[in-house]
Amino acid sequence: MLVSKEQLHNMEHALGIADYMLSKRSKYHRHGKCYIKSYRNYFCAGQRDLDSWRDLVDKGLANTWNKFNSTYFNVSDKGIEYLQEVQNYIIKFED
């Protein structure tokens, strides 16, 4: 499956795990594996991001909905599995 660097970045941004969003406590290593804590799963898309996100929806990697005259996306379970595989980390969600 072909996913661009921009799409990977947007998926990480939606999950709050893009590099610039991580604190020292959000990323840790245990038993040779990298874990990243996610605290969210949404992205309010502007006009320039809509086509990229719609492509992810078509691939089953994201979901979409409209609210308050804005288009929102989130990373689907399949998208989370894909990110973990290609980025070689495990995503943990905060309770």
Side-chain angles (χ1 to χ4, degrees):
M1 183 175 319
L2 185 60
V3 174
S4 72
K5 286 184 182 181
E6 175 189 0
Q7 288 173 312
L8 287 174
H9 171 78
N10 283 344
M11 291 169 75
E12 290 176 330
H13 180 103
L15 293 167
I17 61 172
D19 282 341
Y20 66 91
M21 301 172 92
L22 292 175
S23 69
K24 290 181 180 181
R25 296 181 334 174
S26 299
K27 187 175 184 178
Y28 59 97
H29 294 81
R30 293 250 184 347
H31 308 292
K33 295 182 180 179
C34 179
Y35 294 83
I36 297 179
K37 292 181 183 177
S38 174
Y39 65 95
R40 62 184 242 172
N41 188 0
Y42 66 90
F43 187 100
C44 182
Q47 191 62 38
R48 73 178 188 95
D49 295 312
L50 287 174
D51 289 340
S52 174
W53 273 103
R54 287 182 177 138
D55 181 55
L56 291 170
V57 170
D58 290 344
K59 292 175 179 173
L61 301 177
N63 305 301
T64 186
W65 70 95
N66 293 307
K67 186 174 183 179
F68 305 119
N69 296 321
S70 296
T71 304
Y72 287 83
F73 296 88
N74 70 356
V75 182
S76 67
D77 291 341
K78 181 179 174 182
I80 291 168
E81 290 173 14
Y82 179 81
L83 265 179
Q84 292 179 130
E85 182 181 323
V86 300
Q87 300 293 70
N88 199 30
Y89 50 59
I90 299 168
I91 300 168
K92 303 295 257 180
F93 288 90
E94 291 185 354
D95 296 329

